PDB file of all heavy atoms in Angstrom:
ATOM      1  N   SER F  10      11.862  14.902  -5.438  1.00 94.00           N
ATOM      2  CA  SER F  10      11.630  14.400  -6.800  1.00 94.00           C
ATOM      3  C   SER F  10      10.216  14.739  -7.271  1.00 94.00           C
ATOM      4  O   SER F  10       9.326  14.997  -6.472  1.00 94.00           O
ATOM      5  CB  SER F  10      11.824  12.892  -6.828  1.00 94.00           C
ATOM      6  OG  SER F  10      10.675  12.249  -6.358  1.00 94.00           O
ATOM      7  N   ASN F  11      10.036  14.715  -8.567  1.00 97.00           N
ATOM      8  CA  ASN F  11       8.710  15.013  -9.117  1.00 97.00           C
ATOM      9  C   ASN F  11       7.661  14.005  -8.642  1.00 97.00           C
ATOM     10  O   ASN F  11       6.518  14.374  -8.373  1.00 97.00           O
ATOM     11  CB  ASN F  11       8.769  15.012 -10.652  1.00 97.00           C
ATOM     12  CG  ASN F  11       9.228  16.349 -11.181  1.00 97.00           C
ATOM     13  OD1 ASN F  11       9.418  17.300 -10.415  1.00 97.00           O
ATOM     14  ND2 ASN F  11       9.421  16.434 -12.475  1.00 97.00           N
ATOM     15  N   THR F  12       8.070  12.748  -8.557  1.00 97.00           N
ATOM     16  CA  THR F  12       7.133  11.741  -8.073  1.00 97.00           C
ATOM     17  C   THR F  12       6.663  12.076  -6.661  1.00 97.00           C
ATOM     18  O   THR F  12       5.465  12.017  -6.357  1.00 97.00           O
ATOM     19  CB  THR F  12       7.789  10.350  -8.096  1.00 97.00           C
ATOM     20  OG1 THR F  12       8.219  10.060  -9.421  1.00 97.00           O
ATOM     21  CG2 THR F  12       6.828   9.290  -7.642  1.00 97.00           C
ATOM     22  N   MET F  45       4.260  18.434 -15.070  1.00 97.00           N
ATOM     23  CA  MET F  45       5.307  17.412 -15.224  1.00 97.00           C
ATOM     24  C   MET F  45       4.811  16.389 -16.235  1.00 97.00           C
ATOM     25  O   MET F  45       3.693  16.515 -16.756  1.00 97.00           O
ATOM     26  CB  MET F  45       5.611  16.747 -13.878  1.00 97.00           C
ATOM     27  CG  MET F  45       4.412  16.169 -13.183  1.00 97.00           C
ATOM     28  SD  MET F  45       4.784  15.479 -11.535  1.00 97.00           S
ATOM     29  CE  MET F  45       4.982  16.920 -10.528  1.00 97.00           C
ATOM     30  N   SER F  46       5.627  15.395 -16.547  1.00 97.00           N
ATOM     31  CA  SER F  46       5.213  14.413 -17.548  1.00 97.00           C
ATOM     32  C   SER F  46       4.341  13.325 -16.914  1.00 97.00           C
ATOM     33  O   SER F  46       4.144  13.288 -15.708  1.00 97.00           O
ATOM     34  CB  SER F  46       6.429  13.779 -18.193  1.00 97.00           C
ATOM     35  OG  SER F  46       6.898  12.728 -17.397  1.00 97.00           O
ATOM     36  N   ARG F  47       3.836  12.464 -17.728  1.00 97.00           N
ATOM     37  CA  ARG F  47       2.951  11.410 -17.216  1.00 97.00           C
ATOM     38  C   ARG F  47       3.680  10.440 -16.291  1.00 97.00           C
ATOM     39  O   ARG F  47       3.056   9.859 -15.386  1.00 97.00           O
ATOM     40  CB  ARG F  47       2.364  10.620 -18.394  1.00 97.00           C
ATOM     41  CG  ARG F  47       1.099  11.223 -18.975  1.00 97.00           C
ATOM     42  CD  ARG F  47       0.599  10.384 -20.129  1.00 97.00           C
ATOM     43  NE  ARG F  47       0.445   8.996 -19.777  1.00 97.00           N
ATOM     44  CZ  ARG F  47       0.780   7.968 -20.538  1.00 97.00           C
ATOM     45  NH1 ARG F  47       1.306   8.184 -21.724  1.00 97.00           N
ATOM     46  NH2 ARG F  47       0.602   6.751 -20.127  1.00 97.00           N
ATOM     47  N   THR F  48       4.960  10.248 -16.521  1.00 98.00           N
ATOM     48  CA  THR F  48       5.682   9.228 -15.762  1.00 98.00           C
ATOM     49  C   THR F  48       5.567   9.409 -14.236  1.00 98.00           C
ATOM     50  O   THR F  48       5.105   8.496 -13.547  1.00 98.00           O
ATOM     51  CB  THR F  48       7.142   9.143 -16.211  1.00 98.00           C
ATOM     52  OG1 THR F  48       7.187   9.003 -17.630  1.00 98.00           O
ATOM     53  CG2 THR F  48       7.836   7.988 -15.559  1.00 98.00           C
ATOM     54  N   PRO F  49       5.975  10.546 -13.704  1.00 98.00           N
ATOM     55  CA  PRO F  49       5.853  10.692 -12.249  1.00 98.00           C
ATOM     56  C   PRO F  49       4.402  10.678 -11.768  1.00 98.00           C
ATOM     57  O   PRO F  49       4.126  10.217 -10.651  1.00 98.00           O
ATOM     58  CB  PRO F  49       6.513  12.044 -11.959  1.00 98.00           C
ATOM     59  CG  PRO F  49       6.577  12.747 -13.255  1.00 98.00           C
ATOM     60  CD  PRO F  49       6.635  11.704 -14.321  1.00 98.00           C
ATOM     61  N   ARG F  68      -8.242   3.719 -19.323  1.00 93.00           N
ATOM     62  CA  ARG F  68      -9.074   4.471 -20.274  1.00 93.00           C
ATOM     63  C   ARG F  68     -10.119   5.364 -19.611  1.00 93.00           C
ATOM     64  O   ARG F  68     -10.748   6.170 -20.281  1.00 93.00           O
ATOM     65  CB  ARG F  68      -9.816   3.570 -21.273  1.00 93.00           C
ATOM     66  CG  ARG F  68      -9.091   2.323 -21.633  1.00 93.00           C
ATOM     67  CD  ARG F  68      -9.082   2.050 -23.102  1.00 93.00           C
ATOM     68  NE  ARG F  68      -7.718   1.818 -23.543  1.00 93.00           N
ATOM     69  CZ  ARG F  68      -7.132   2.534 -24.469  1.00 93.00           C
ATOM     70  NH1 ARG F  68      -7.775   3.527 -25.041  1.00 93.00           N
ATOM     71  NH2 ARG F  68      -5.898   2.290 -24.818  1.00 93.00           N
TER      72      ARG F  68
ATOM     73  P    DG Z  13      14.784   6.782  -8.636  1.00 60.69           P
ATOM     74  OP1  DG Z  13      14.687   7.150  -7.215  1.00 60.69           O
ATOM     75  OP2  DG Z  13      13.992   5.661  -9.163  1.00 60.69           O
ATOM     76  O5'  DG Z  13      14.462   8.059  -9.523  1.00 60.69           O
ATOM     77  C5'  DG Z  13      14.999   9.313  -9.177  1.00 60.69           C
ATOM     78  C4'  DG Z  13      14.606  10.331 -10.217  1.00 60.69           C
ATOM     79  O4'  DG Z  13      15.201   9.958 -11.479  1.00 60.69           O
ATOM     80  C3'  DG Z  13      13.098  10.418 -10.469  1.00 60.69           C
ATOM     81  O3'  DG Z  13      12.770  11.806 -10.518  1.00 60.69           O
ATOM     82  C2'  DG Z  13      12.900   9.703 -11.799  1.00 60.69           C
ATOM     83  C1'  DG Z  13      14.229   9.933 -12.498  1.00 60.69           C
ATOM     84  N9   DG Z  13      14.661   8.884 -13.425  1.00 60.69           N
ATOM     85  C8   DG Z  13      14.549   7.532 -13.254  1.00 60.69           C
ATOM     86  N7   DG Z  13      15.058   6.837 -14.241  1.00 60.69           N
ATOM     87  C5   DG Z  13      15.541   7.803 -15.123  1.00 60.69           C
ATOM     88  C6   DG Z  13      16.201   7.658 -16.379  1.00 60.69           C
ATOM     89  O6   DG Z  13      16.499   6.622 -16.971  1.00 60.69           O
ATOM     90  N1   DG Z  13      16.522   8.892 -16.942  1.00 60.69           N
ATOM     91  C2   DG Z  13      16.255  10.104 -16.364  1.00 60.69           C
ATOM     92  N2   DG Z  13      16.635  11.181 -17.041  1.00 60.69           N
ATOM     93  N3   DG Z  13      15.631  10.265 -15.187  1.00 60.69           N
ATOM     94  C4   DG Z  13      15.310   9.071 -14.634  1.00 60.69           C
ATOM     95  P    DC Z  14      11.290  12.277 -10.647  1.00 60.69           P
ATOM     96  OP1  DC Z  14      11.204  13.621 -10.062  1.00 60.69           O
ATOM     97  OP2  DC Z  14      10.396  11.200 -10.198  1.00 60.69           O
ATOM     98  O5'  DC Z  14      11.149  12.451 -12.211  1.00 60.69           O
ATOM     99  C5'  DC Z  14      12.004  13.391 -12.850  1.00 60.69           C
ATOM    100  C4'  DC Z  14      11.920  13.222 -14.332  1.00 60.69           C
ATOM    101  O4'  DC Z  14      12.457  11.953 -14.718  1.00 60.69           O
ATOM    102  C3'  DC Z  14      10.501  13.254 -14.895  1.00 60.69           C
ATOM    103  O3'  DC Z  14      10.373  14.504 -15.574  1.00 60.69           O
ATOM    104  C2'  DC Z  14      10.426  12.054 -15.833  1.00 60.69           C
ATOM    105  C1'  DC Z  14      11.895  11.631 -15.968  1.00 60.69           C
ATOM    106  N1   DC Z  14      12.131  10.184 -16.203  1.00 60.69           N
ATOM    107  C2   DC Z  14      12.829   9.792 -17.342  1.00 60.69           C
ATOM    108  O2   DC Z  14      13.232  10.644 -18.115  1.00 60.69           O
ATOM    109  N3   DC Z  14      13.029   8.467 -17.571  1.00 60.69           N
ATOM    110  C4   DC Z  14      12.580   7.566 -16.709  1.00 60.69           C
ATOM    111  N4   DC Z  14      12.812   6.276 -16.970  1.00 60.69           N
ATOM    112  C5   DC Z  14      11.874   7.944 -15.519  1.00 60.69           C
ATOM    113  C6   DC Z  14      11.666   9.249 -15.306  1.00 60.69           C
ATOM    114  P    DA Z  15       9.019  14.950 -16.231  1.00 60.69           P
ATOM    115  OP1  DA Z  15       8.795  16.346 -15.835  1.00 60.69           O
ATOM    116  OP2  DA Z  15       7.981  13.934 -16.007  1.00 60.69           O
ATOM    117  O5'  DA Z  15       9.425  14.929 -17.776  1.00 60.69           O
ATOM    118  C5'  DA Z  15      10.665  15.517 -18.159  1.00 60.69           C
ATOM    119  C4'  DA Z  15      10.977  15.176 -19.603  1.00 60.69           C
ATOM    120  O4'  DA Z  15      11.360  13.783 -19.690  1.00 60.69           O
ATOM    121  C3'  DA Z  15       9.804  15.370 -20.568  1.00 60.69           C
ATOM    122  O3'  DA Z  15      10.287  16.001 -21.751  1.00 60.69           O
ATOM    123  C2'  DA Z  15       9.311  13.943 -20.836  1.00 60.69           C
ATOM    124  C1'  DA Z  15      10.581  13.119 -20.667  1.00 60.69           C
ATOM    125  N9   DA Z  15      10.345  11.766 -20.160  1.00 60.69           N
ATOM    126  C8   DA Z  15       9.645  11.422 -19.050  1.00 60.69           C
ATOM    127  N7   DA Z  15       9.608  10.127 -18.807  1.00 60.69           N
ATOM    128  C5   DA Z  15      10.349   9.587 -19.833  1.00 60.69           C
ATOM    129  C6   DA Z  15      10.690   8.255 -20.153  1.00 60.69           C
ATOM    130  N6   DA Z  15      10.305   7.198 -19.418  1.00 60.69           N
ATOM    131  N1   DA Z  15      11.440   8.051 -21.254  1.00 60.69           N
ATOM    132  C2   DA Z  15      11.826   9.117 -21.982  1.00 60.69           C
ATOM    133  N3   DA Z  15      11.572  10.413 -21.779  1.00 60.69           N
ATOM    134  C4   DA Z  15      10.813  10.583 -20.679  1.00 60.69           C
ATOM    135  P    DT Z  16       9.261  16.441 -22.858  1.00 60.69           P
ATOM    136  OP1  DT Z  16       9.887  17.612 -23.481  1.00 60.69           O
ATOM    137  OP2  DT Z  16       7.897  16.505 -22.296  1.00 60.69           O
ATOM    138  O5'  DT Z  16       9.293  15.229 -23.898  1.00 60.69           O
ATOM    139  C5'  DT Z  16      10.554  14.716 -24.325  1.00 60.69           C
ATOM    140  C4'  DT Z  16      10.366  13.444 -25.116  1.00 60.69           C
ATOM    141  O4'  DT Z  16      10.156  12.324 -24.227  1.00 60.69           O
ATOM    142  C3'  DT Z  16       9.168  13.455 -26.080  1.00 60.69           C
ATOM    143  O3'  DT Z  16       9.668  13.107 -27.364  1.00 60.69           O
ATOM    144  C2'  DT Z  16       8.239  12.389 -25.523  1.00 60.69           C
ATOM    145  C1'  DT Z  16       9.234  11.461 -24.841  1.00 60.69           C
ATOM    146  N1   DT Z  16       8.679  10.583 -23.779  1.00 60.69           N
ATOM    147  C2   DT Z  16       8.940   9.238 -23.847  1.00 60.69           C
ATOM    148  O2   DT Z  16       9.598   8.728 -24.736  1.00 60.69           O
ATOM    149  N3   DT Z  16       8.391   8.482 -22.823  1.00 60.69           N
ATOM    150  C4   DT Z  16       7.632   8.946 -21.763  1.00 60.69           C
ATOM    151  O4   DT Z  16       7.212   8.172 -20.918  1.00 60.69           O
ATOM    152  C5   DT Z  16       7.391  10.367 -21.761  1.00 60.69           C
ATOM    153  C7   DT Z  16       6.575  10.964 -20.676  1.00 60.69           C
ATOM    154  C6   DT Z  16       7.923  11.110 -22.754  1.00 60.69           C
ATOM    155  P    DA Z  17       8.742  13.340 -28.625  1.00 60.69           P
ATOM    156  OP1  DA Z  17       9.548  14.130 -29.579  1.00 60.69           O
ATOM    157  OP2  DA Z  17       7.394  13.785 -28.213  1.00 60.69           O
ATOM    158  O5'  DA Z  17       8.631  11.851 -29.177  1.00 60.69           O
ATOM    159  C5'  DA Z  17       9.785  11.006 -29.126  1.00 60.69           C
ATOM    160  C4'  DA Z  17       9.379   9.587 -29.510  1.00 60.69           C
ATOM    161  O4'  DA Z  17       8.913   8.875 -28.333  1.00 60.69           O
ATOM    162  C3'  DA Z  17       8.226   9.518 -30.516  1.00 60.69           C
ATOM    163  O3'  DA Z  17       8.483   8.459 -31.423  1.00 60.69           O
ATOM    164  C2'  DA Z  17       7.002   9.239 -29.646  1.00 60.69           C
ATOM    165  C1'  DA Z  17       7.611   8.378 -28.549  1.00 60.69           C
ATOM    166  N9   DA Z  17       6.905   8.457 -27.266  1.00 60.69           N
ATOM    167  C8   DA Z  17       6.424   9.564 -26.641  1.00 60.69           C
ATOM    168  N7   DA Z  17       5.844   9.324 -25.477  1.00 60.69           N
ATOM    169  C5   DA Z  17       5.960   7.953 -25.334  1.00 60.69           C
ATOM    170  C6   DA Z  17       5.553   7.075 -24.319  1.00 60.69           C
ATOM    171  N6   DA Z  17       4.917   7.467 -23.204  1.00 60.69           N
ATOM    172  N1   DA Z  17       5.822   5.763 -24.488  1.00 60.69           N
ATOM    173  C2   DA Z  17       6.461   5.373 -25.601  1.00 60.69           C
ATOM    174  N3   DA Z  17       6.895   6.105 -26.622  1.00 60.69           N
ATOM    175  C4   DA Z  17       6.612   7.399 -26.419  1.00 60.69           C
ATOM    176  P    DC Z  18       7.676   8.393 -32.783  1.00 60.69           P
ATOM    177  OP1  DC Z  18       8.720   8.336 -33.818  1.00 60.69           O
ATOM    178  OP2  DC Z  18       6.615   9.428 -32.816  1.00 60.69           O
ATOM    179  O5'  DC Z  18       6.979   6.980 -32.706  1.00 60.69           O
ATOM    180  C5'  DC Z  18       7.622   5.896 -32.044  1.00 60.69           C
ATOM    181  C4'  DC Z  18       6.596   4.862 -31.654  1.00 60.69           C
ATOM    182  O4'  DC Z  18       6.083   5.144 -30.323  1.00 60.69           O
ATOM    183  C3'  DC Z  18       5.353   4.846 -32.568  1.00 60.69           C
ATOM    184  O3'  DC Z  18       5.037   3.504 -32.834  1.00 60.69           O
ATOM    185  C2'  DC Z  18       4.290   5.524 -31.730  1.00 60.69           C
ATOM    186  C1'  DC Z  18       4.681   5.008 -30.347  1.00 60.69           C
ATOM    187  N1   DC Z  18       4.116   5.772 -29.212  1.00 60.69           N
ATOM    188  C2   DC Z  18       3.745   5.068 -28.056  1.00 60.69           C
ATOM    189  O2   DC Z  18       3.914   3.847 -28.023  1.00 60.69           O
ATOM    190  N3   DC Z  18       3.226   5.750 -27.009  1.00 60.69           N
ATOM    191  C4   DC Z  18       3.069   7.075 -27.082  1.00 60.69           C
ATOM    192  N4   DC Z  18       2.555   7.699 -26.015  1.00 60.69           N
ATOM    193  C5   DC Z  18       3.440   7.802 -28.254  1.00 60.69           C
ATOM    194  C6   DC Z  18       3.952   7.120 -29.279  1.00 60.69           C
ATOM    195  P    DC Z  20       0.935  -2.705 -33.162  1.00 60.69           P
ATOM    196  OP1  DC Z  20       1.538  -4.016 -33.475  1.00 60.69           O
ATOM    197  OP2  DC Z  20       0.262  -1.909 -34.209  1.00 60.69           O
ATOM    198  O5'  DC Z  20      -0.098  -2.895 -31.967  1.00 60.69           O
ATOM    199  C5'  DC Z  20       0.402  -3.017 -30.632  1.00 60.69           C
ATOM    200  C4'  DC Z  20      -0.757  -2.896 -29.669  1.00 60.69           C
ATOM    201  O4'  DC Z  20      -1.003  -1.506 -29.360  1.00 60.69           O
ATOM    202  C3'  DC Z  20      -2.081  -3.452 -30.202  1.00 60.69           C
ATOM    203  O3'  DC Z  20      -2.720  -4.143 -29.158  1.00 60.69           O
ATOM    204  C2'  DC Z  20      -2.845  -2.195 -30.613  1.00 60.69           C
ATOM    205  C1'  DC Z  20      -2.365  -1.200 -29.570  1.00 60.69           C
ATOM    206  N1   DC Z  20      -2.434   0.230 -29.989  1.00 60.69           N
ATOM    207  C2   DC Z  20      -2.850   1.192 -29.055  1.00 60.69           C
ATOM    208  O2   DC Z  20      -3.155   0.825 -27.912  1.00 60.69           O
ATOM    209  N3   DC Z  20      -2.893   2.500 -29.431  1.00 60.69           N
ATOM    210  C4   DC Z  20      -2.555   2.846 -30.664  1.00 60.69           C
ATOM    211  N4   DC Z  20      -2.609   4.139 -30.992  1.00 60.69           N
ATOM    212  C5   DC Z  20      -2.131   1.883 -31.630  1.00 60.69           C
ATOM    213  C6   DC Z  20      -2.085   0.590 -31.254  1.00 60.69           C
ATOM    214  P    DA Z  21      -3.881  -5.203 -29.492  1.00 60.69           P
ATOM    215  OP1  DA Z  21      -3.457  -6.544 -29.078  1.00 60.69           O
ATOM    216  OP2  DA Z  21      -4.336  -4.929 -30.879  1.00 60.69           O
ATOM    217  O5'  DA Z  21      -5.037  -4.719 -28.504  1.00 60.69           O
ATOM    218  C5'  DA Z  21      -4.691  -4.352 -27.177  1.00 60.69           C
ATOM    219  C4'  DA Z  21      -5.724  -3.397 -26.641  1.00 60.69           C
ATOM    220  O4'  DA Z  21      -5.559  -2.098 -27.265  1.00 60.69           O
ATOM    221  C3'  DA Z  21      -7.166  -3.807 -26.929  1.00 60.69           C
ATOM    222  O3'  DA Z  21      -7.932  -3.473 -25.801  1.00 60.69           O
ATOM    223  C2'  DA Z  21      -7.547  -2.949 -28.132  1.00 60.69           C
ATOM    224  C1'  DA Z  21      -6.790  -1.670 -27.822  1.00 60.69           C
ATOM    225  N9   DA Z  21      -6.470  -0.863 -28.994  1.00 60.69           N
ATOM    226  C8   DA Z  21      -6.108  -1.295 -30.234  1.00 60.69           C
ATOM    227  N7   DA Z  21      -5.872  -0.322 -31.080  1.00 60.69           N
ATOM    228  C5   DA Z  21      -6.091   0.829 -30.335  1.00 60.69           C
ATOM    229  C6   DA Z  21      -6.007   2.197 -30.650  1.00 60.69           C
ATOM    230  N6   DA Z  21      -5.649   2.648 -31.858  1.00 60.69           N
ATOM    231  N1   DA Z  21      -6.292   3.081 -29.672  1.00 60.69           N
ATOM    232  C2   DA Z  21      -6.639   2.614 -28.468  1.00 60.69           C
ATOM    233  N3   DA Z  21      -6.749   1.357 -28.053  1.00 60.69           N
ATOM    234  C4   DA Z  21      -6.462   0.510 -29.047  1.00 60.69           C
ATOM    235  P    DA Z  22      -9.316  -4.192 -25.530  1.00 60.69           P
ATOM    236  OP1  DA Z  22      -9.113  -5.102 -24.406  1.00 60.69           O
ATOM    237  OP2  DA Z  22      -9.904  -4.647 -26.811  1.00 60.69           O
ATOM    238  O5'  DA Z  22     -10.186  -2.947 -25.010  1.00 60.69           O
ATOM    239  C5'  DA Z  22      -9.581  -2.051 -24.082  1.00 60.69           C
ATOM    240  C4'  DA Z  22     -10.210  -0.698 -24.225  1.00 60.69           C
ATOM    241  O4'  DA Z  22      -9.770  -0.063 -25.445  1.00 60.69           O
ATOM    242  C3'  DA Z  22     -11.734  -0.729 -24.280  1.00 60.69           C
ATOM    243  O3'  DA Z  22     -12.211   0.295 -23.437  1.00 60.69           O
ATOM    244  C2'  DA Z  22     -12.050  -0.443 -25.753  1.00 60.69           C
ATOM    245  C1'  DA Z  22     -10.879   0.446 -26.152  1.00 60.69           C
ATOM    246  N9   DA Z  22     -10.505   0.412 -27.562  1.00 60.69           N
ATOM    247  C8   DA Z  22     -10.348  -0.685 -28.354  1.00 60.69           C
ATOM    248  N7   DA Z  22      -9.981  -0.401 -29.585  1.00 60.69           N
ATOM    249  C5   DA Z  22      -9.886   0.974 -29.599  1.00 60.69           C
ATOM    250  C6   DA Z  22      -9.531   1.908 -30.607  1.00 60.69           C
ATOM    251  N6   DA Z  22      -9.196   1.544 -31.846  1.00 60.69           N
ATOM    252  N1   DA Z  22      -9.543   3.213 -30.282  1.00 60.69           N
ATOM    253  C2   DA Z  22      -9.876   3.564 -29.040  1.00 60.69           C
ATOM    254  N3   DA Z  22     -10.219   2.788 -27.999  1.00 60.69           N
ATOM    255  C4   DA Z  22     -10.206   1.497 -28.353  1.00 60.69           C
ATOM    256  P    DA Z  23     -13.737   0.340 -22.988  1.00 60.69           P
ATOM    257  OP1  DA Z  23     -13.747   0.548 -21.524  1.00 60.69           O
ATOM    258  OP2  DA Z  23     -14.485  -0.778 -23.593  1.00 60.69           O
ATOM    259  O5'  DA Z  23     -14.207   1.704 -23.671  1.00 60.69           O
ATOM    260  C5'  DA Z  23     -13.447   2.871 -23.413  1.00 60.69           C
ATOM    261  C4'  DA Z  23     -13.768   3.924 -24.430  1.00 60.69           C
ATOM    262  O4'  DA Z  23     -13.253   3.542 -25.720  1.00 60.69           O
ATOM    263  C3'  DA Z  23     -15.275   4.166 -24.624  1.00 60.69           C
ATOM    264  O3'  DA Z  23     -15.500   5.553 -24.530  1.00 60.69           O
ATOM    265  C2'  DA Z  23     -15.562   3.616 -26.021  1.00 60.69           C
ATOM    266  C1'  DA Z  23     -14.218   3.858 -26.703  1.00 60.69           C
ATOM    267  N9   DA Z  23     -13.953   2.984 -27.840  1.00 60.69           N
ATOM    268  C8   DA Z  23     -14.102   1.626 -27.915  1.00 60.69           C
ATOM    269  N7   DA Z  23     -13.748   1.109 -29.072  1.00 60.69           N
ATOM    270  C5   DA Z  23     -13.347   2.207 -29.817  1.00 60.69           C
ATOM    271  C6   DA Z  23     -12.854   2.336 -31.131  1.00 60.69           C
ATOM    272  N6   DA Z  23     -12.690   1.296 -31.957  1.00 60.69           N
ATOM    273  N1   DA Z  23     -12.540   3.575 -31.560  1.00 60.69           N
ATOM    274  C2   DA Z  23     -12.709   4.611 -30.731  1.00 60.69           C
ATOM    275  N3   DA Z  23     -13.159   4.609 -29.475  1.00 60.69           N
ATOM    276  C4   DA Z  23     -13.460   3.369 -29.077  1.00 60.69           C
TER     277       DA Z  23
END
Side-chain angles (χ1 to χ4, degrees):
Chain F
S10 81
N11 276 355
T12 302
M45 55 184 75
S46 84
R47 273 180 53 221
T48 309
R68 328 226 128 238

